Amino acid sequence: MESIDRWLHRRHEEFVEDGEKQPVRGLVAASWDRSVAAGLRADTAAPFAFQANELATYRAEHPLSAVFPMLYDVLGRAAVDSDCVMAVGDSGGRLLWVCGRPDVLRAADGIHFSEGAWWAEQQVGTNALGTSLEVTAPVQIRSAEHFTVLVQPWSCAAAPIYDPDTQRVLGVVDITGGADASSPQSLALVRAAARMAEAELGRLTILRKLTGDTGHRVRISALGRPDAEIRVDDRDLRLSRRHSDIVVLLAEHPEGLTAEELSDALYGEADHRSSLRGEMTRLRALLGADVLDSRPYRFRRDIAADWLETADDLDSHLLSAALRRYAGPLLPQSDAPAVVAVRNRLENRMRADVLRTHDVDLVVAWTRSYAGVNDLSAWEHQLTLLSPTSPLWPSTQSEVRRLRADYGLSEHANRDLRGR
């Protein structure tokens, strides 16, 4: 007896070859017709809608960023356990977050199911995430029900997420993988996750109204940069070195800092409060009078910042997410004592988690990064995790030898490496 997957593949081949109606589900047949009408071919690959720096800013300001941690707890961990990936997209079908085990994420990258890709039905044809947005209802798509043959080894289930106030679609949550993703339980799970996200968005809206919070965020990017970039409303501003130090420290202390505390954090024990007052006057004029308070100095709005989000990833044991976000040390050229302390603390936390993990892909990601390229302990850890038959073994062994020689440990290094 012919399996359902093989039957679907035959129906898809016949549709692509002659364009005739096929006895597939009405939802799928209508979506195939829309895919053809959009001018798509069966070998179409999903395009990318964002550059990496654009995506980070866009998703940090997206309403679903407030509920993504909850979605990960509800659905992301279940996806990992079932060899699937969880994705959250915006109302246009652009993927903002994609989470899963590193090996499954690599496989998903092969079909461009990765952060920044555009999975609207008009871009890549029938798929649960895009079709769910098209019909504004939970959808499950199995293997060859996908219009694009590249995606047919996968199955997926997705449900739209609505704004609890306006009832407009904010985005979509999806689970994509193998046979597990085509089960009725997967569709029920994404539907429940979407409803929980809506309930949480409603709760946050009520809370903001009660507290008078406008919800307007300030976005700061300072990892791997000589100076910070800050987004206020619709303005992107590149700050001076000293203003960069100030916004980092105020973001670190949402409760605020007195003039004396901020001066000590910036300059050390020397009293520079008069200089600080001038810097704060210029910074307030640059950002806007409604952004900063004085007495104490603090932000009047919610802050989103790349180094704080990296630390949150580490708190949540999401080392893979932290490594993707970590573009380099925090303001690497800053010599402000408190900024140096924050920078060192974050890098030490990253390094400690890398040295504890047994996931060789995460260790490799660290040793390829700016922070980890000369980290001897990380390279040695990578060597212990690799099989001698791995294609990475020779280059890893070479780096360990080089770094040990640089540290005056060459004889010890040679003896250890021969022992392996």
Side-chain angles (χ1 to χ4, degrees):
M1 183 176 177
E2 190 175 35
S3 71
I4 181 63
D5 285 338
R6 184 165 180 77
W7 184 87
L8 283 170
H9 277 285
R10 288 182 55 207
R11 301 288 81 77
H12 181 271
E13 289 172 0
E14 292 167 0
F15 175 80
V16 170
E17 288 173 3
D18 58 31
E20 292 185 5
K21 295 289 184 181
Q22 296 295 321
V24 295
R25 290 191 293 151
L27 171 81
V28 174
S31 179
W32 284 1
D33 287 342
R34 289 193 299 270
S35 301
V36 171
L40 300 177
R41 302 189 333 176
D43 60 354
T44 301
F48 283 86
F50 295 101
Q51 300 294 328
N53 58 333
E54 295 173 337
L55 174 62
T57 300
Y58 177 78
R59 70 181 182 183
E61 297 171 349
H62 196 277
L64 292 182
S65 65
V67 296
F68 170 72
M70 186 210 69
L71 285 170
Y72 181 83
D73 278 340
V74 171
L75 190 60
R77 297 185 191 280
V80 169
D81 292 341
S82 56
D83 295 336
C84 295
V85 295
M86 180 196 82
V88 178
D90 69 0
S91 60
R94 296 173 292 186
L95 304 189
L96 305 184
W97 294 273
V98 180
C99 308
R101 278 209 331 262
D103 58 326
V104 184
L105 286 172
R106 282 197 301 273
D109 284 343
I111 60 168
H112 292 187
F113 199 78
S114 48
E115 292 174 353
W118 200 352
W119 278 76
E121 197 180 73
Q122 297 89 341
Q123 299 295 327
V124 72
T126 309
N127 70 94
L129 188 146
T131 303
S132 174
L133 290 170
E134 188 70 29
V135 301
T136 59
V139 165
Q140 193 160 39
I141 299 295
R142 179 177 181 139
S143 62
E145 289 182 329
H146 288 97
F147 180 76
T148 301
V149 296
L150 301 174
V151 191
Q152 290 182 351
W154 301 74
S155 294
C156 46
I161 300 173
Y162 294 87
D163 185 309
D165 278 345
T166 66
Q167 295 305 304
R168 68 183 179 89
V169 174
L170 287 177
V172 59
V173 61
D174 169 281
I175 187 168
T176 291
D180 284 343
S182 64
S183 70
Q185 292 84 355
S186 294
L187 184 59
L189 193 56
V190 295
R191 185 188 289 116
R195 299 297 83 78
M196 291 180 69
E198 291 163 2
E200 177 65 7
L201 287 167
R203 186 188 72 82
L204 293 173
T205 298
I206 293 170
L207 184 61
R208 281 195 296 270
K209 289 177 179 178
L210 290 174
T211 60
D213 183 4
T214 64
H216 293 159
R217 277 191 160 193
V218 172
R219 172 78 192 175
I220 307 171
S221 300
L223 287 177
R225 305 174 55 95
D227 39 44
E229 184 174 276
I230 188 166
R231 183 175 181 82
V232 180
D233 299 327
D234 295 324
R235 296 179 297 141
D236 291 309
L237 304 168
R238 186 169 180 173
L239 302 181
S240 69
R241 297 282 175 86
R242 187 53 74 196
H243 285 168
S244 298
D245 291 335
I246 290 170
V247 299
V248 164
L249 294 173
L250 294 182
E252 281 284 317
H253 296 275
E255 74 284 0
L257 294 169
T258 66
E260 182 178 5
E261 289 169 336
L262 185 53
S263 177
D264 289 346
L266 289 169
Y267 305 105
E269 294 182 358
D271 187 353
H272 287 274
R273 276 177 286 182
S274 59
S275 300
L276 175 62
R277 282 192 290 272
E279 294 286 3
M280 292 303 299
T281 298
R282 287 186 286 274
L283 182 59
R284 189 179 290 107
L286 180 66
L287 301 183
D290 63 332
V291 176
L292 289 175
D293 266 339
S294 57
R295 299 181 183 177
Y297 293 124
R298 63 182 177 183
F299 281 106
R300 299 180 65 180
R301 301 191 190 179
D302 286 344
I303 299 298
D306 51 4
W307 78 94
L308 295 176
E309 291 165 343
T310 303
D312 288 343
D313 288 338
L314 295 176
D315 289 340
S316 301
H317 308 292
L318 301 176
L319 179 57
S320 177
L323 285 168
R324 287 197 301 270
R325 201 188 300 273
Y326 189 70
L330 173 68
L331 298 181
Q333 297 179 18
S334 174
D335 58 2
V339 173
V340 171
V342 175
R343 178 171 68 222
N344 291 342
R345 183 166 63 248
L346 180 59
E347 186 164 329
N348 289 340
R349 287 191 63 194
M350 292 281 295
R351 184 171 181 270
D353 281 8
V354 167
L355 295 179
R356 277 194 295 266
T357 186
H358 292 284
D359 187 329
V360 68
D361 292 322
L362 298 183
V363 181
V364 169
W366 176 255
T367 56
R368 288 178 175 173
S369 71
Y370 174 87
V373 68
N374 290 314
D375 188 337
L376 173 58
S377 295
W379 281 103
E380 289 176 329
H381 185 42
Q382 181 171 312
L383 194 64
T384 65
L385 296 176
L386 288 171
S387 164
T389 60
S390 167
L392 292 177
W393 170 267
S395 59
T396 302
Q397 188 183 51
S398 175
E399 283 301 302
V400 170
R401 288 184 184 277
R402 177 184 70 81
L403 290 169
R404 284 183 170 178
D406 288 347
Y407 290 118
L409 303 171
S410 55
E411 291 185 10
H412 179 59
N414 291 338
R415 186 165 59 251
D416 283 354
L417 294 179
R418 282 196 301 271
R420 286 296 309 270

